[in-house]
């Protein structure tokens, strides 16, 4: 599991806990882009070309493009972390006792993000991510409950907030109650992040919170989301 780092927003000086996103390589091994020790830099213009970094998988040595590590601050600033140049690593796991080298165990295939240009794209990206996690029959809702739920599936309800304001504590509580009523896991996706009270409330009820950038890649922002991304339903 990747380690969280404490960072200070250079714009408003708020403190944040940041955990780099882990996604599976095409070989199945989990891959987390390494972050350098440099402080994050606020982005003034977000471009498609600048949203990717080249990272080498430590299991198969494959070089590939991965979403650049970014953090959305509640002040509205988008912070990007620098990633050091890729380095090579041994592609196989050693079994010293037998003098053999065997491949790492197979895992989920790599998640393929959906580029977000509209609010509906954000909902589609959330649905695809839930399916990738292992939830079945994920489908858009019909705006039941005043729009607090965007997606339903077997054992899951989710909200996708594509607005430019941080999601609120009321948003979190409404989704949590929907999850309780449906006896389902409640999952929140937001493009603009979450207010402090919303984060605290979600942590208290173990509701997974994810943020999505315009590449359509969800990133966990609390422990419940980390666990869901790591183990699935």
């Amino acid at each position: 599991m990747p380690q969280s780092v404490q960072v200070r927003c250079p714009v408003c000086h708020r403190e944040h806990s940041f955990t780099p996103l882990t996604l599976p390589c095409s070989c199945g091994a989990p891959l987390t882009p390494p972050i350098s020790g440099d402080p994050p830099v606020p982005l003034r213009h977000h471009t498609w070309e600048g949203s990717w970094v080249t990272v080498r998988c430590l299991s198969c040595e494959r070089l590939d493009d991965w979403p650049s590590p970014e953090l959305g601050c509640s002040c509205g600033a988008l912070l990007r972390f620098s990633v050091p140049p890729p380095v090579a690593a041994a592609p196989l796991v050693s079994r010293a006792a037998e003098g053999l080298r065997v491949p790492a165990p197979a895992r989920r295939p790599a998640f393929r993000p959906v580029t977000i240009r509209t609010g509906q794209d954000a909902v589609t990206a959330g649905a695809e991510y839930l399916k990738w996690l292992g939830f079945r029959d994920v489908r858009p809702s019909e705006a039941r409950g005043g729009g607090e739920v965007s997606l339903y599936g077997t054992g899951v309800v989710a909200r996708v907030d594509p607005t430019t304001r941080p999601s609120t504590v009321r948003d979190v509580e409404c989704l949590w109650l929907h999850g309780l009523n449906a006896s389902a896991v409640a999952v929140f996706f937001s493009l603009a992040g979450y207010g402090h009270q919303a984060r605290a409330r979600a942590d208290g009820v173990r509701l997974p919170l994810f943020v999505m950038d315009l590449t359509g890649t969800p990133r966990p922002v609390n422990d419940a989301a980390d666990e869901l991304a790591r183990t699935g339903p």
Side-chain angles (χ1 to χ4, degrees), residues 21-23 111 113 125-126 129 189 210-213 215-220:
L21 175 67
T22 296
L23 291 172
F111 173 67
Y129 188 75
F189 300 95
F210 292 86
V211 293
M212 287 194 291
D213 58 24
T215 69
T217 303
R219 178 175 59 81

Side-chain angles (χ1 to χ4, degrees), residues 78-110:
L78 179 62
L79 311 179
R80 176 170 292 168
F81 296 79
S82 61
V83 174
V87 296
L92 300 173
V93 178
S94 175
R95 285 170 57 183
E98 299 178 3
L100 300 176
R101 296 176 70 79
V102 298
R107 298 176 184 270
R108 286 178 297 195

Side-chain angles (χ1 to χ4, degrees), residues 110-134:
F111 173 67
R112 297 184 179 277
V114 177
T115 304
I116 297 175
R117 298 183 178 87
T118 66
Q120 184 55 49
D121 289 339
V123 174
T124 300
E128 291 303 311
Y129 188 75
L130 292 175
K131 295 174 185 176
W132 177 78
L133 286 176

Side-chain angles (χ1 to χ4, degrees), residues 133-221:
L133 286 176
F135 291 104
R136 295 181 291 110
D137 303 322
V138 178
R139 60 200 182 278
S141 73
E142 298 177 356
R144 286 179 285 181
E148 287 88 358
V149 173
S150 308
L151 297 163
Y152 284 89
T154 302
V156 65
V157 295
R159 175 167 180 175
V160 181
D161 185 353
T163 65
T164 56
R165 63 166 181 82
S167 301
T168 67
V169 64
R170 181 185 180 280
D171 296 332
V172 168
E173 289 178 340
C174 287
L175 178 62
W176 174 60
L177 290 174
H178 275 281
L180 287 180
N181 291 335
S183 298
V185 177
V187 183
F188 210 122
F189 300 95
S190 176
L191 266 67
Y194 305 88
H196 177 73
Q197 289 183 327
R199 284 281 303 270
R201 183 58 172 153
D203 289 344
V205 298
R206 297 288 300 167
L207 191 149
L209 300 180
F210 292 86
V211 293
M212 287 194 291
D213 58 24
L214 295 183
T215 69
T217 303
R219 178 175 59 81
V221 295

Side-chain angles (χ1 to χ4, degrees), residues 19-82:
T19 304
L21 175 67
T22 296
L23 291 172
C25 175
S26 57
C27 74
L31 189 151
T32 305
I35 322 176
S36 71
D38 299 331
V41 177
L43 292 182
R44 298 185 182 276
H45 302 286
H46 199 279
T47 64
W48 173 262
E49 293 79 7
S51 298
W52 303 91
V53 292
T54 302
V55 181
R56 186 186 299 277
C57 176
L58 298 181
S59 292
C60 69
E61 294 201 66
R62 176 188 176 93
L63 279 174
D64 214 337
D65 290 335
W66 295 84
S68 181
E70 295 176 354
L71 169 68
C73 180
S74 55
C75 72
L78 179 62
L79 311 179
R80 176 170 292 168
F81 296 79
S82 61

